[in-house]
Amino acid sequence: MRLQLWDAAGGSENLALKGTASASSVEQNLDRLSARYVNDGQLGTRWASGYSDNDWVQVKLAAPAEVAAVTLAWEGACATEYQIQTSLDGTNWSEAATQHPDSCGNDVIKINSDSAVQYVRMQGVKRKTTWGYSIYEMGIYGSPAV
């Protein structure tokens, strides 16, 4: 299923679909809320974190890429502040953007970078509710590095 916000991200390929997701936690360790659902291309599934502001979800891309935009389709348990972080090695992270959304919904975050990365992370800073973070789908748009 194609999300309209993906087109708003620039219409390029969603590199997240071929990536591997992982997370700092999963709500109550429930398999139906595990990280692998954040990049499966389905709006009927989702990732949900434990109940901590500092939780994150990330996607390791199949190959290094230059990322132009990230999209997040939030469920009702969203963030009032979060960062999009990128890394080439999964160890050393750079802050690509800090967001302060007014409400839960669909976010499109443009990334101004011409450096190749292989990991993209939503790093939570502050939750909107007492629940954790919950994301139906995370899209990562750009082009494979040369």
Side-chain angles (χ1 to χ4, degrees):
M1 180 174 197
R2 187 169 174 83
L3 295 175
Q4 289 180 338
L5 66 129
W6 292 353
D7 292 326
S12 59
E13 178 184 1
N14 182 0
L15 303 171
L17 295 173
K18 295 178 183 171
T20 304
S22 59
S24 58
S25 69
V26 173
E27 183 179 343
Q28 299 179 10
N29 293 318
L30 294 169
D31 183 65
R32 66 182 174 84
L33 300 174
S34 67
R36 73 177 176 272
Y37 295 115
V38 81
N39 65 325
D40 66 354
Q42 303 296 316
L43 288 176
T45 60
R46 63 186 172 99
W47 162 75
S49 74
Y51 310 144
S52 170
D53 284 333
N54 198 34
D55 281 321
W56 52 263
V57 64
Q58 69 187 23
V59 175
K60 178 183 180 186
L61 302 175
E66 292 179 7
V67 175
V70 174
T71 60
L72 298 173
W74 290 96
E75 194 254 353
C78 64
T80 59
E81 182 178 353
Y82 66 91
Q83 295 179 351
I84 298 298
Q85 299 176 342
T86 59
S87 174
L88 185 58
D89 60 9
T91 301
N92 299 298
W93 293 89
S94 297
E95 181 183 328
T98 297
Q99 300 293 304
H100 299 90
D102 293 329
S103 61
C104 301
N106 296 333
D107 292 346
V108 177
I109 305 99
K110 301 284 185 170
I111 306 295
N112 294 322
S113 175
D114 55 2
S115 300
V117 300
Q118 191 155 12
Y119 296 81
V120 178
R121 174 185 286 183
M122 185 294 297
Q123 173 65 61
V125 176
K126 180 72 177 150
R127 293 169 291 149
K128 184 175 179 73
T129 68
T130 57
W131 299 97
Y133 301 108
S134 182
I135 300 174
Y136 289 115
E137 198 67 21
M138 179 176 182
I140 301 168
Y141 296 86
S143 55
V146 177

